[in-house]
Amino acid sequence: MKIFCGRANPTTGAMEWLEEDEDYDYHQEIARSRYADMLHDKDRNVKYYQGISAAVRRVKERGERAIVLDIGTGTGLLSMMAVSAGADFCYAIEVFKPMANAAVKIVEKNGFSEKIKVINKHSTEVTVGPDGDMRCRANILITELFDTELIGEGALPSYEHAHKYLVQEGCEAVPHRATVYAQLVESKRMWSWNKLFPVHIQAEDDKKIIVSPSEMENCPGVSSVYDIQLNQMPWNDFTILSDVVTMFSVDFSKQVSSASAYHRVVLQPVKSGMAQVIFSWWDIDMDPSGTIKCTMAPYWAQPTSLDIQWRDHWMQCVYFLPNEKPLLQGEIVYLTACRDEYSVWYKLQKARDKEDKTDAHVASPVCRCQAHLLWNRPRFGELNDQNRTNEYIKALKKVLKTDSVCLCISDGSLLPVLAHYLGAQQVFTLENSAVSHSVMEKIFKANHLEDKIKIIEKRPELLTPSDLENKKVSVVIGEPFFTTSLLPWHNLHFWYARTAAANQLVRNITVLPQSASLHMMVVEFKDLWRIRSPCRTCEGFDVHIMDDMIGNSLNFRESKEAEPHPLWEYPCKSLSDPQQVMTFDFRQTVPQHRLSTEGSMKLLRTGKSHGAILWMVYHLTADISINTGLVQISNEKGNCQWNPHCKQAVYFFSSVIESEAVADPSSAIAYSLSFDPKTGKIAMDFKLLP
């Protein structure tokens, strides 16, 4: 059986669908999964074990046989816990076939095959009866179906079906309940991830401001949650306006409804400010009394901030209100959490707004301006970074002339407006989609530039002289940024597009940025290493088979490659100096031959070499650069600060991921990199030198 897999193609700037063998998709799923992260989550595992043991004990005390249904069993860990705690039999449901196969082997390896039946089905397809998948209904329901938003993986419909068809009425449930909390916040930084702020430009004769279209200012945005490691958000980047409030709870031991619902609470701000953002998280009680609790609360909402369990499979939620609201300390406001089967969104009303008596349930926000469909949250933040914009302004002032004909190659960029305001004679911008075309059209119109800047919705190789009004382009500009880019070097599509448009450019073309360089550094992660680290045993159970399965998938074809991560959320320290390893000259066309380099990075600090970080630096001019990666190494310990608007590439070292602290400062990591111009990919290999 063949399947289609989406993959970014830097040569075309498009997301392409390639036909692959069925095994390819499985290996990609396993290689990029968070199974290792969950197995390393000591707090989660211990609390589940305690809750399961208590549930089995309560059933036994009633004189009943303990029959367990484990939905989403994964490795089979929770089922093995149940049998170890005295359960008589366990039905372990796992819909992902490779995972179900692994669970069978892990259960057998640990000696539980006679009491655990692994069923490779979706739970809603499981049958009960003499000839069914389950002989009888279960009286203990165990699940781990949660994501950062709690319900985003379909927990509610799965519970709803299980209570109707698979478990007994009044069954024990682990977890027993979940509770969702919220906190009202003001944060200019986070609000900049949702709205386009005015952009200030100091032109030669006067100051200009790029304003946002009213349609964009009034747009409620999209309902999708922004899940982040909230514990890494600097305290001075937000102001708390309310106490933590309980929004709603779900009792998993009773019939659950997946129907849309809303939950309203009354709160009084503890501080005056502009309500912009809702922080939200949840906790789960593993037992009815709530004595066994697993919480996702950020450090300031926990009794003690010491030894908070790090996890990446469950984080915290950031929701953006449809519009910011000024609040006064002590005034009464109403916060409403609305939900459907898979998502949550919020509405804030003042007391006088509530008097309309309308149904508190509001429809899920839908983007009307299209900007929220074109730009993700980090991209909004990048466009709102005035310091970054100022670097482009300085660079454009150096290269633009009064007779400059500019062609901008980037998706949804403000550079065409900058170029026009800074004196270019004519500006064209290439937009690769109808959405980016529409968004830019609205921005140009809001700034009365619709007849000053021409939008061309065309592939660069299809450009004709008439598209450019029979003018030759003298300056090509780009950030560069493309919506399909995942890894830092995917934005090299700018180079390919500039090459494809070569016939429309003057011979001595000016290109901004004039070049890009790839930089690299070896690091030790504080926590992120856990997502790729073998677990071996988990709460006394042998899970080597899972480790081997992940390892095999990582080594399957190109699965062992760099992966994108926003490193401002994941603390690490540098073990080597940052090093420039490749350069791409945009003033020349893309070469036909491979670009290859090799060398070594000396390890200067002791620590575990978990991986290499790679990022791009764009050289706008000879002396002005935009760095998408390392901002600075902040102290002697090597702690790193990263560009918060971009994801950096992480290549995990499989050979040294468990290495001991580097004792010999002369140790080094050898590297070999090769850029293939036919595919736009960079192949890489690393070895620890003695």
Side-chain angles (χ1 to χ4, degrees), residues 34 163 215 242 296 371 392 434 445 479 589 617 649 669:
R34 288 293 187 267
H163 276 286
E215 187 179 358
S242 78
M296 306 309 120
Y392 284 100
K445 188 172 182 180
E479 299 186 40
T589 56
V617 174
I669 300 285

Side-chain angles (χ1 to χ4, degrees), residues 34 37 148 193 226-234 296 298-300 308-318 527-528 531 566 568-571:
R34 288 293 187 267
D37 175 32
T148 294
W193 299 342
Y226 192 26
D227 51 341
I228 65 171
Q229 294 282 357
L230 206 48
N231 288 322
Q232 297 306 316
M233 180 64 66
M296 306 309 120
Y299 65 87
W300 64 85
I308 291 177
Q309 174 70 51
W310 182 89
R311 45 175 70 96
D312 206 44
H313 56 106
W314 297 329
M315 293 184 274
Q316 293 81 36
C317 302
V318 173
D527 296 299
L528 189 63
I531 70 171
W568 73 267
E569 295 184 55
Y570 302 103

Side-chain angles (χ1 to χ4, degrees), residues 173-179 283-288 290-294:
V174 182
H176 180 82
R177 81 176 63 82
T179 304
D283 60 32
I284 44 179
D285 293 324
M286 297 297 183
D287 63 325
T291 56
I292 309 169
K293 190 182 295 289
C294 186

